[in-house]
Amino acid sequence: MAVLSWGKPLIEITPLGVNDEITNWIVLPIPKQDTSQLNTEAGNKTNATEEGGGLVDTRSDKSNYSFQFQLFAKKGYAKPIADMDGVVLTNYAVRLTPEDATAEGFIIEKASVSVLETWTAADGKLWQYTFDGLVPANGAILKPYKREVLAVTPAVLSFGNAEDSTGQAITATATGTLTATSDQPWATVTVAGNVATVTVAANTGAARMANITLTADGKTAVVPVTQAAA
């Protein structure tokens, strides 16, 4: 168990509803290494000084926050957020869970989103997303967040490149109704009781990864699924 909230983060996003409602969270692919960064811009400070330069009082405006990361544009992956030349019309919420889910992450409940698409010979195509925090209906722009983790077994799944219509099972320890979703169309998940079964289509290209999100009792677990290359 880690002491710090460092390492490979879990990043989730959701478009905001009509009244900025937060609905279904979407798990993003793992970002490019060392690109996930929360930036803080200190608010303007106003000083009241008396003749001679003595400081009588000072006042600071609220800080501004932006969260930024880069995603590889992998074969078979679609852009997670639709844009028009880098402009995203819908506001989003974004939250981060550290690699050790018992450590504290953060959530920005309302943000304006932009995307910059780049390409280099070293990395190929990259999508750089920036979430600029906006004032939400209640509370601060940046809030602490700690995920309530659902206990599941196993924690990861691995498939060969062939189609697997039988699938592999994930068992959750829960008393309430279990739901499960996949973020990739080639990996399908069904639920019966406390067991989610994942099946995969045949892979004819490079190795690929999906995330299965399981929810019950107000808790969530994300199980990575990998499939070998053809």
Side-chain angles (χ1 to χ4, degrees):
M1 185 175 295
V3 175
L4 304 178
S5 59
W6 58 6
K8 180 175 65 179
L10 171 69
I11 300 173
E12 300 169 281
I13 60 172
T14 181
L16 297 181
V18 176
N19 295 312
D20 292 343
E21 298 98 342
I22 293 177
T23 53
N24 296 321
W25 289 95
I26 302 165
V27 178
L28 294 184
I30 298 171
K32 180 185 175 185
Q33 186 169 348
D34 297 332
T35 64
S36 303
Q37 182 171 327
L38 177 67
N39 302 301
T40 303
E41 179 184 346
N44 294 326
K45 180 178 288 187
T46 302
N47 293 329
T49 56
E50 61 186 7
E51 294 290 357
L55 183 64
V56 177
D57 203 354
T58 183
R59 184 188 67 186
S60 296
D61 294 335
K62 291 182 178 180
S63 297
N64 295 315
Y65 304 95
S66 66
F67 179 52
Q68 193 173 78
F69 54 87
Q70 294 180 356
L71 300 178
F72 289 106
K74 299 177 183 178
K75 185 184 296 184
Y77 281 68
K79 267 186 178 180
I81 302 176
D83 69 277
M84 179 65 70
D85 293 329
V87 177
V88 178
L89 299 179
T90 304
N91 289 333
Y92 274 73
V94 59
R95 67 186 183 189
L96 178 142
T97 301
E99 186 170 0
D100 181 348
T102 62
E104 186 176 273
F106 62 83
I107 181 171
I108 299 175
E109 294 180 344
K110 185 177 182 180
S112 173
V113 187
S114 59
V115 57
L116 179 65
E117 188 170 303
T118 63
W119 184 92
T120 65
D123 295 320
K125 184 185 289 187
L126 287 169
W127 299 316
Q128 178 175 298
Y129 284 96
T130 301
F131 290 74
D132 291 307
L134 305 175
V135 177
N138 297 293
I141 296 173
L142 182 73
K143 299 175 182 176
Y145 170 74
K146 185 177 288 186
R147 172 182 293 276
E148 290 194 70
V149 181
L150 179 67
V152 296
T153 305
V156 296
L157 294 180
S158 180
F159 290 86
N161 58 18
E163 177 186 4
D164 188 337
S165 57
T166 301
Q168 297 184 35
I170 305 168
T171 302
T173 302
T175 57
T177 301
L178 177 69
T179 62
T181 59
S182 170
D183 67 352
Q184 296 298 324
W186 53 267
T188 303
V189 58
T190 57
V191 175
N194 284 358
V195 177
T197 301
V198 180
T199 59
V200 297
N203 188 6
T204 59
R208 55 190 181 181
M209 190 190 81
N211 290 297
I212 305 299
T213 302
L214 302 99
T215 303
D217 303 334
K219 302 177 182 180
T220 302
V222 178
V223 177
V225 175
T226 59
Q227 188 176 28

